[in-house]
Amino acid sequence: AQTVTQSQPEMSVQEAETVTLSCTYDTSESDYYLFWYKQPPSRQMILVIRQEAYKQQNATENRFSVNFQKAAKSFSLKISDSQLGDAAMYFCAFNSGGSNYKLTFGKGTLLTVNP
Amino acid sequence: NAGVTQTPKFQVLKTGQSMTLQCAQDMNHEYMSWYRQDPGMGLRLIHYSVGAGITDQGEVPNGYNVSRSTTEDFPLRLLSAAPSQTSVYFCASSYSLYRVDEQFFGPGTRLTVL
């Protein structure tokens, strides 16, 4: 069974600075998908970024980028120029692809942005 | 499009009561699922469906029933509520069966079982 580990229950960052959230996973699959979801206080789950394992290039979405290290099974999220609106719980999630639709989530990292 | 909608937003039950959490989507998505979110546990899959008439169990299915009679609706039933089912419940849908892509989440239902 796949597992997703987020080792940082809480992180904080100063506004305009950069923060990196860690995620590691365990799988025997060679092709899979990784996601970062953001959950603000409104509880709405919002997809931040998506990475396909067969793509070596790290995904980027505006101020959000990932460092995908397939051999190390590591998938960290970097938030640049942090904004107050980035404050939220961030979840790393894994999917093994194919006919498996299940998302396996980590326990989350609560990000605080200080003004 | 309204996206994924869930009702109610909040619910308090007594142990042993039954209820149905409603989920609907207007995006013609084939895949729908239910997750529960508990503090310190992340989200865990309860049940999922890959189309009308087809459902399957997820990671934590005990105590919950589902059915999928239409593409749009995927209700979650608690037959006899227990305090352990106190949680926030999320419904999600995705348009693709052949490629895992973004799952669209509803706003959640906060359920308390006394």
Side-chain angles (χ1 to χ4, degrees), chain A residues 91-109:
Chain A
F91 292 98
C92 179
F94 172 97
N95 175 274
S96 61
S99 60
N100 182 358
Y101 311 102
K102 174 187 175 184
L103 279 175
T104 300
F105 285 87
K107 294 183 178 181
T109 297

Side-chain angles (χ1 to χ4, degrees), chain B:
Chain B
N1 286 351
V4 180
T5 58
Q6 291 183 238
T7 56
K9 285 187 169 53
F10 302 93
Q11 183 70 49
V12 179
L13 292 178
K14 294 181 179 179
T15 297
Q17 287 184 316
S18 64
M19 80 159 295
T20 299
L21 307 185
Q22 301 291 344
C23 173
Q25 51 88 12
D26 60 357
M27 299 173 281
N28 202 33
H29 287 178
E30 291 292 338
Y31 177 74
M32 297 185 73
S33 58
W34 278 101
Y35 292 86
R36 60 177 288 173
Q37 182 180 20
D38 300 299
M41 296 292 292
L43 279 76
R44 293 180 292 169
L45 183 66
I46 304 172
H47 285 283
Y48 66 93
S49 169
V50 298
I54 307 170
T55 64
D56 206 347
Q57 296 181 351
E59 185 182 355
V60 287
N62 292 344
Y64 307 96
N65 280 354
V66 292
S67 60
R68 185 98 178 267
S69 56
T70 67
T71 299
E72 294 76 20
D73 301 297
F74 189 45
L76 179 72
R77 297 183 185 85
L78 284 71
L79 299 179
S80 179
S84 61
Q85 294 178 305
T86 293
S87 188
V88 179
Y89 292 85
F90 288 95
C91 179
S93 72
S94 176
Y95 65 83
S96 176
L97 292 180
Y98 304 105
R99 188 181 90 116
V100 173
D101 213 300
E102 178 177 2
Q103 292 197 22
F104 293 82
F105 284 82
T109 295
R110 181 177 292 278
L111 175 67
T112 301
V113 183
L114 302 176

